[in-house]
């Protein structure tokens, strides 16, 4: 039987709709050593909405990474915990620690930073 994390990774991008959902995904990924990439978004923020397909494309390119989407208006506590002050914000995490944060809608920069993050992670794991 697949774990929730394995199902989540196969689903490509997991929508976090509660603090409990965040804690569950975060804890499972951390315990299993899976890197996490989070897109903090808001439905009223057009740059955030525009980044959604880019984020989904990234998720399909890196099957071993957990990609999460958090709507800051729906899950304010998580946004506050992660010190998100502007949308879109992308947070790259490994072993429970924030490794990188990208603020703004810059598809090329996000792809480049996620790629180097994932490359580092595979070297780190090997």
């Amino acid at each position: 039987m697949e774990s929730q994390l394995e199902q989540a990774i196969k689903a490509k991008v997991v929508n976090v709709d509660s603090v409990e959902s965040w804690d569950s995904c975060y804890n499972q990924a951390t315990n299993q050593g899976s890197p996490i990439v989070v897109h903090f978004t808001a439905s009223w923020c057009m740059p955030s909405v525009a980044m959604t397909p880019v984020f989904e494309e990234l998720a399909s390119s890196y099957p071993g990474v957990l990609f999460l989407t958090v709507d800051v208006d729906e899950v304010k506590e998580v946004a506050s915990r992660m010190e998100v002050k502007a949308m879109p914000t992308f947070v790259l995490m490994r072993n429970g620690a924030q490794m990188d944060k990208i603020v703004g809608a810059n598809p090329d920069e996000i792809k480049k930073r996620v790629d180097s993050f994932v490359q580092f992670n595979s070297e780190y794991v090997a």
Side-chain angles (χ1 to χ4, degrees), residues 1-42:
M1 190 163 158
E2 285 184 318
S3 73
Q4 188 179 3
L5 177 65
E6 289 167 332
Q7 291 172 358
I9 289 173
K10 281 186 178 172
K12 304 295 182 224
V13 178
V14 178
N15 183 39
V16 173
D17 57 4
S18 67
V19 173
E20 295 76 23
S21 172
W22 168 266
D23 288 342
S24 174
C25 289
Y26 172 85
N27 290 334
Q28 267 194 319
T30 301
N31 291 340
Q32 294 183 18
S34 296
I36 306 170
V37 179
V38 189
H39 176 197
F40 287 94
T41 185

Side-chain angles (χ1 to χ4, degrees), residues 38-97:
V38 189
H39 176 197
F40 287 94
T41 185
S43 58
W44 47 263
C45 175
M46 287 306 109
S48 281
V49 172
M51 288 304 296
T52 297
V54 173
F55 193 68
E56 289 171 352
E57 179 186 322
L58 278 171
S60 64
S61 301
Y62 301 105
V65 178
L66 178 60
F67 283 79
L68 303 174
T69 297
V70 178
D71 185 308
V72 296
D73 293 323
E74 288 178 23
V75 198
K76 289 183 171 103
E77 185 179 326
V78 172
S80 177
R81 262 192 226 170
M82 299 303 296
E83 300 180 359
V84 173
K85 308 224 184 315
M87 270 60 67
T89 294
F90 299 87
V91 176
L92 287 60
M93 303 172 73
R94 179 182 304 108
N95 298 327

Side-chain angles (χ1 to χ4, degrees), residues 121-126:
N121 193 66
S122 43
E123 291 166 16
Y124 179 77
V125 170

